[in-house]
Amino acid sequence: DVFQAIRRAGLIRARVDGQILEVTETPPKLAKTKPHTIEAVVDRIAIRDGIRPRLAESLDLALKLADGRVLALIESPDGGWDEQLMSVHLGCPSCGTSLPEMEPRSFSFNSPHGACPVCQGLGSRGVFQPELVVPDRSRSWDQGAVVPWSLVSPSAKDRDDWPQRALVSEFLARHQVDSAAPLESWPAETWRAFWSGEPGGPFPGLETLLEQEYQDTRSEALRKALEAYREEVCCPACGGSRLRPEARAVRVEGRSIPELTAMPVGDLLGFFRSARVDPSLEPVAAPLIGEIVGRLQYLVEVGLDYLALGRCSDTLSGGELQRARLAAQLGSGLVGVCYILDEPTAGLHLRDTARLIASLRRLVELGNSVLVVEHDEAVIRAADWLLDLGPGAGPDGGSVVAAGPPEQLSPANGSITAAYLNRVPQPHAHADDRSRVARSPGWIQIRDAAVHNLKHIDARFPLAALTCVTGVSGSGKSTLVHDVLARAVRRALHRSVHLNSVVSGQWSVVSQDGQASPPPTIDQLIEVDQAPIGRTPRSTPGTVTGVFDAIRRVFAATREAKIRGYGAGRFSFNAKGGRCEACQGLGQRRIPMQFLADLHVTCEECGGQRFNRQTLEVRFKGKSIGDVLAMRVDESRTFFDAVPQVLQGLDALHEVGLGYLTLGQSSTTLSGGEAQRVKLAAELGRPSGGHALYILDEPTTGLHFADIDRLLRILHRLVDLGHTVIVIEHHLDVIAAADWVIDLGPDGGDAGGRIVAMGPPSVIAACEGSRTGQELLLRARTG
């Protein structure tokens, strides 16, 4: 039947087991007990001019007969034949490995068609680390050598039916290991089996047991606690590239996509500018390369030439993200557009602010209008027109107090902004004050830190002092403070590592004379960032700071509440019983719209007061709980002046400059600066005790000059109480007011990660290689 099919195709020859035969009516006799290879000979062609039409026709016939495969026999100079098997399919005709059709989504790690199947396109995986799980191997299993084991079902540890306990007991008995023996005395093979599991055995390994608990638990608190013993490691399958092997195999000019996205933007721009394209592909490639070059050029213009396109966004600083977004707008090439930017200088060094202003000017020169909501002095002075709103905040604001070119503004009309623009900078009361550093009980020392772009640096942070970490965007500030210092302190507080060890380097707390200080020198870590304080309207300044809890207890203590049997829970709008069930205690009802955004209207049942009629009938000083939620903080201070438990939290909100907020204002309506100050007020409102380490990341974001003065007073008050405050900041007023400054740089990315200068602000200002110091020196000369 095979030879009959060849004849029906109009062919007269076949190659049988390597020998070419003519196909006749009588097929050759072949042994049925042996396998044979029968190949149809489609054509025999001598290479000469004019054969392309015949060759194309013969290839087309061969591909149809053989399901997309063809074998070419090419005569070699020595008279032999070279065989070449080819296929139109995306696959190897020899081994059968096939590839999917290559599409743009095949090269995207955000698509299942391109993402690495092992890490799901993340490039890394969180795994438990043995040095964190078992920080002290001189302890035995009975002594709790496996630190996180106490977190896993602690109430079930003593039960005989607890499966994990039985597994461990059987493992120790099987390997003849005493549970009271230190883990360092165990044989190496036993420790490996205990951690990684017994090959083919019943014990899956401690790492697997902890991972199962981490994945299966429904307790967010337990999951968060276990995360202290995990580290993100590079995905072994994709090497951190996040792409499938098929996508990594495609190359342009000898380079794959992971190799290109790992290059700094400046080098990548040079690569595409010099890329050579086959003339036949020029019509397709030229527009693509032109677009790539243009967008890379915009990234260079905004000062991001040191970044790699493959960097995760969560490793970028706020300033880098701002400039990346701006580069995207510059690359759009739109004209006649009104751009609205909200605090674009967030996270920017003064050097980078100048680049930002130049980019905004570029948008204006293209024929666009640029409207910026900003507090940065350099941006304000560079504007063509300034609108100053005020004179106060909240209900005290909302009026235009000044309008015109910045240089023509006068404080005569009540413009606080104009007053600050016309002020003469004066040295801060604490500027270059070495006494705090001299009186400091000790230092937090970081040695040999080498995370991300940090170049094995050594840094010192004085205790009970205000330290500013400065440097241009991308210089490694967040890495040093959050990824090294905060992580080390957090693990020490959780006792997951020794006080003097950390994966990324070494750290310790030492006294002024250099002697190691016994723990706990720091007994609490408080990180205050600009993340939202809540994602729903149920979160308010009153609930976040705990003030509302004290207010609910006040209402529960009234005579009317006691008569009705109402407890404090009755006055919660987040619990059933006292809240308005029509709006679920939100004060608003959502009306879904089919083709428009959903509408939120005041609840007609409670009138926006969040509580039902019976709850609102209970009054304190003539006000219901709904009335109190609608009060401004400053108004509430007068109302609750005789209730110290409530007044303490209200005073903290007032002190951080949020007296204009209402206690029931939805957290989703707060700015990033307001959210950060609410968190700070929550800490200030708690009873002080011990010695805390406060870490603040860009606390001046969204703050006016007057608010920054108020913030500085708060930070210095915390230091006076014996706490340690570390601030990542670019604002010169904050830097000049610090007791100690660590300036990183000199630039961003690989050109950063070094300590340019370290000491009081005067030392930084005297350092010629410090960009921050140059700005401090210029400020001092201006003053």
Side-chain angles (χ1 to χ4, degrees), residues 689-759:
H691 297 90
L693 171 61
Y694 285 85
I695 293 179
L696 295 91
D697 196 344
E698 299 284 349
T700 61
T701 299
L703 296 192
H704 189 269
F705 303 106
D707 296 321
I708 293 175
D709 287 344
R710 184 181 287 111
L711 173 68
L712 283 173
R713 289 195 294 269
I714 295 172
L715 298 182
H716 284 294
R717 197 190 90 182
L718 290 173
V719 173
D720 292 339
L721 291 174
H723 303 300
T724 302
V725 180
I726 298 176
V727 180
I728 300 174
E729 191 53 76
H730 296 102
H731 202 284
L732 288 181
D733 287 347
V734 180
I735 299 172
D739 305 307
W740 192 260
V741 179
I742 300 175
D743 189 41
L744 298 179
D747 282 300
D750 289 336
R754 296 178 176 87
I755 294 182
V756 179
M758 183 166 58

Side-chain angles (χ1 to χ4, degrees), residues 286-584:
L288 293 175
I289 292 180
E291 183 71 15
I292 293 172
V293 168
R295 292 184 178 272
L296 291 176
Q297 181 61 45
Y298 291 127
L299 286 171
V300 172
E301 287 182 8
V302 297
L304 297 180
D305 53 301
Y306 60 88
L307 284 184
L309 294 183
R311 277 275 298 272
C312 293
S313 61
D314 57 1
T315 66
L316 300 180
S317 66
E320 288 168 336
L321 283 172
Q322 287 276 14
R323 284 181 286 164
R325 296 191 189 103
L326 186 59
Q329 297 303 321
L330 288 170
S332 65
L334 297 176
V335 177
V337 175
C338 178
Y339 288 98
I340 299 178
L341 294 87
D342 193 353
E343 301 285 350
T345 61
L348 289 191
H349 190 270
L350 287 171
R351 192 240 7 214
D352 302 316
T353 300
R355 289 177 171 177
L356 171 69
I357 294 173
S359 300
L360 297 179
R361 280 289 172 197
R362 172 81 178 276
L363 289 174
V364 174
E365 292 167 0
L366 291 174
N368 300 300
S369 300
V370 179
L371 177 62
V372 182
V373 180
E374 188 56 80
H375 297 95
D376 184 81
E377 184 174 348
V379 177
I380 294 174
R381 294 187 183 277
D384 300 313
W385 192 263
L386 179 65
L387 283 175
D388 189 33
L389 299 181
D396 297 332
S399 301
V400 176
V401 296
E407 63 274 7
Q408 297 179 10
L409 258 63
S410 171
N413 297 329
S415 171
I416 300 177
T417 303
Y420 273 88
L421 291 177
N422 290 282
R423 82 192 190 283
V424 176
Q426 298 293 330
H428 195 276
H430 291 278
D432 297 347
D433 180 11
R434 294 176 180 268
S435 60
R436 271 186 178 165
V437 177
R439 295 194 307 267
S440 171
W443 300 80
I444 301 176
Q445 292 189 345
I446 298 291
R447 298 184 300 276
D448 196 34
V451 180
H452 298 317
N453 68 332
L454 296 183
K455 307 297 192 301
H456 299 274
I457 65 173
D458 298 336
R460 296 191 304 158
F461 300 83
L463 297 173
L466 173 60
T467 299
C468 240
V469 181
T470 64
V472 299
S473 298
S475 58
K477 303 183 297 298
S478 297
T479 300
L480 174 63
V481 175
H482 292 295
D483 296 343
V484 178
L485 175 63
R487 177 178 290 186
V489 173
R490 189 181 304 112
R491 285 177 174 168
L493 293 175
H494 284 99
R495 293 177 172 81
S496 60
V497 294
H498 290 305
L499 271 175
N500 64 345
S501 67
V502 63
V503 174
S504 57
Q506 299 295 318
W507 87 292
S508 61
V509 179
V510 299
S511 60
Q512 282 284 11
D513 58 6
Q515 299 298 316
S517 177
T521 306
I522 297 173
D523 49 30
Q524 189 178 12
L525 173 64
I526 300 172
E527 295 182 85
V528 182
D529 56 22
Q530 297 177 30
I533 59 176
R535 300 185 181 276
T536 69
R538 298 189 182 280
S539 175
T540 69
T543 58
V544 172
T545 58
V547 171
F548 192 56
D549 293 337
I551 292 175
R552 291 192 295 114
R553 289 194 292 269
V554 170
F555 273 85
T558 61
R559 182 172 180 273
E560 182 67 22
K562 291 181 177 180
I563 292 174
R564 299 189 180 201
Y566 293 168
R570 176 79 187 196
F571 300 95
S572 171
F573 54 79
N574 289 324
K576 292 182 178 180
R579 71 182 183 185
C580 171
E581 291 302 326
C583 62
Q584 303 291 305

Side-chain angles (χ1 to χ4, degrees), residues 644-657:
Q645 298 86 348
V646 178
L647 193 60
Q648 183 177 2
L650 295 174
D651 286 343
L653 285 169
H654 172 78
E655 190 173 357
V656 298

